[in-house]
C-alpha cells in the first residue's frame, strides 16, 4: 500500500529505518536515521517512536536511536540459520581447537556470502568476515565454495551480471575460479582481502549435492598446509551435513 508522496509504502519505510544502521554501529542520532533512510525528519521520528513502542528500536535521550532487544530476540528465535549454526558449532569448535585460527560459516545470499557464524581467538590473523557481514562471492573463499556447487543456471546468471567495481577481475577469471573450486572440492584465495592471509573453504552439501553452506578458515599466508586443512574441513562439513539430515 503506497501512502506517501514518493509512492513508497509504510513497509518500505520501516525496512529503510531498520536497515539504516551500518555494520558495527549500534547507535545513531535520529537525524542520521532520517538521512540514511531517505525520509523527512518528522516521518522518521514517527516511525522510530512506533517501532520503539514494540521494542524493535530504542529511542533514548537527545534523539539517540538503537536497535531494540525485541528485534534481536525475534531474529534469533526464528532465524532460518539457527539449525545450521547449531549443527555446525561442535565441528567449528573442533577445527578451531586444532588450528587456533579463525573459523567461519557462510550461506549464499544473492551474489554474496553472508556469514552466519564465526569463531576466533586472541592472536588469530585478521579476518574481515563478521557475523551478519557480507562479502562478494569472488573475493571470498566461502563465496566461491558456495557458488561452485550451485545449479548451472544460477552460476550462468551470476557470471552474466558479474562486474568487479575495481575492474581487476573479469567474469572469465571468476569462471575459472569456480571451475577449479568444483574440481578440487574446496576453494582457496590467497592475499585477496588481506595480503597476509589465506582463505580456504569447503561446501556443506545437501542430499541434492548443492551447497547449503560453506565452512572456512582464515590462516596466516606463511602457514598454509592444504594437505592437512582440506581433509579436516571436508570431514567437518560431512558431519554438519549428516546432522542437518537427522
Amino acid at each position: 500500500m503506497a501512502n506517501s508522496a514518493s509512492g513508497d509504502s509504510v513497509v518500505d519505510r520501516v525496512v529503510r529505518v531498520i536497515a539504516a544502521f551500518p555494520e558495527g554501529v549500534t547507535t545513531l542520532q535520529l537525524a542520521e536515521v532520517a538521512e540514511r533512510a531517505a525520509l523527512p525528519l518528522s516521518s522518521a521520528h514517527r516511525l522510530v517512536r512506533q517501532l520503539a513502542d514494540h521494542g524493535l528500536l530504542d529511542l533514548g535521550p537527545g534523539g539517540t536511536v538503537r536497535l531494540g532487544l525485541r528485534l534481536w530476540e525475534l531474529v534469533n528465535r526464528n532465524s532460518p540459520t539457527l539449525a545450521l549454526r547449531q549443527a555446525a558449532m561442535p565441528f567449528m569448535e573442533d577445527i578451531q581447537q586444532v588450528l587456533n585460527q579463525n573459523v567461519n560459516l557462510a550461506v549464499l545470499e544473492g551474489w554474496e556470502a553472508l556469514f552466519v557464524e564465526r569463531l576466533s581467538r586472541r592472536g588469530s590473523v585478521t579476518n574481515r568476515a563478521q557475523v551478519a557481514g557480507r562479502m562478494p562471492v569472488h573475493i571470498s573463499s566461502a563465496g566461491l565454495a558456495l557458488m561452485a556447487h550451485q545449479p548451472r543456471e544460477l552460476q550462468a546468471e551470476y557470471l552474466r551480471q558479474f562486474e568487479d567495481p575495481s575492474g581487476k577481475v573479469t567474469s572469465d577469471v571468476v569462471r575459472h575460479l569456480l571451475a577449479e573450486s568444483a574440481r578440487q572440492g574446496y576453494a582457496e584465495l590467497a592475499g585477496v582481502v588481506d595480503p597476509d592471509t589465506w582463505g580456504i573453504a569447503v561446501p556443506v552439501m545437501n542430499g541434492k549435492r548443492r551447497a547449503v553452506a560453506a565452512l572456512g578458515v582464515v590462516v596466516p599466508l606463511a602457514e598454509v598446509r592444504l594437505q592437512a586443512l582440506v581433509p579436516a574441513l571436508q570431514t567437518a562439513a560431512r558431519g554438519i551435513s549428516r546432522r542437518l539430515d537427522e
Side-chain angles (χ1 to χ4, degrees):
M1 177 179 66
N3 47 12
S4 73
S6 63
D8 55 354
S9 69
V10 173
V11 172
D12 291 330
R13 284 176 282 160
V14 166
V15 170
R16 295 209 304 272
V17 166
I18 293 176
F21 292 81
E23 182 179 341
V25 175
T26 59
T27 303
L28 291 174
Q29 291 296 314
L30 181 58
E32 294 177 283
V33 173
E35 181 180 358
R36 295 181 63 87
L39 291 171
L41 183 59
S42 59
S43 297
H45 191 195
R46 184 175 62 255
L47 286 173
V48 166
R49 280 193 175 280
Q50 291 172 343
L51 291 167
D53 288 343
H54 292 280
L56 301 178
L57 293 178
D58 288 330
L59 182 58
T64 58
V65 185
R66 292 176 177 268
L67 294 174
L69 284 177
R70 178 65 172 164
L71 183 62
W72 173 88
E73 176 191 1
L74 291 172
V75 168
N76 281 276
R77 188 175 67 196
N78 301 296
S79 170
T81 66
L82 182 60
L84 171 62
R85 290 162 60 200
Q86 290 175 338
M89 186 58 73
F91 298 97
M92 295 179 68
E93 290 172 344
D94 287 346
I95 294 292
Q96 190 195 48
Q97 286 290 332
V98 172
L99 294 181
N100 199 31
Q101 292 291 345
N102 304 290
V103 186
N104 55 59
L105 184 71
V107 297
L108 190 65
E109 176 72 6
W111 309 135
E112 296 175 306
L114 172 62
F115 292 89
V116 298
E117 192 56 85
R118 166 186 154 169
L119 296 179
S120 186
R121 286 183 177 178
R122 182 177 298 177
S124 300
V125 296
T126 300
N127 182 7
R128 304 294 175 85
Q130 302 291 331
V131 174
R134 295 168 177 257
M135 284 189 183
V137 160
H138 73 285
I139 68 168
S140 164
S141 57
L144 291 173
L146 284 160
M147 185 60 74
H149 295 86
Q150 299 300 321
R152 291 183 181 273
E153 298 80 14
L154 183 64
Q155 292 184 23
E157 182 182 353
Y158 166 66
L159 291 169
R160 276 196 303 271
Q161 62 78 50
F162 176 79
E163 183 177 350
D164 178 24
S166 71
K168 297 178 181 179
V169 180
T170 67
S171 59
D172 286 339
V173 170
V174 179
R175 182 179 288 105
H176 172 74
L177 289 172
L178 292 175
E180 279 294 290
S181 299
R183 181 185 64 80
Q184 296 175 151
Y186 65 92
E188 55 175 315
L189 285 175
V192 173
V193 176
D194 188 287
D196 297 321
T197 65
W198 194 312
I200 303 155
V202 302
V204 176
M205 310 294 279
N206 64 12
K208 297 181 180 179
R209 303 304 299 162
R210 303 300 183 201
V212 295
L215 178 66
V217 295
V218 179
V219 297
L221 194 60
E223 298 181 16
V224 174
R225 306 181 305 279
L226 288 178
Q227 297 87 346
L229 285 175
V230 172
L233 286 172
Q234 290 174 331
T235 298
R238 287 193 293 269
I240 297 169
S241 296
R242 286 194 297 271
R243 291 199 63 175
L244 288 173
D245 290 337
E246 289 176 357

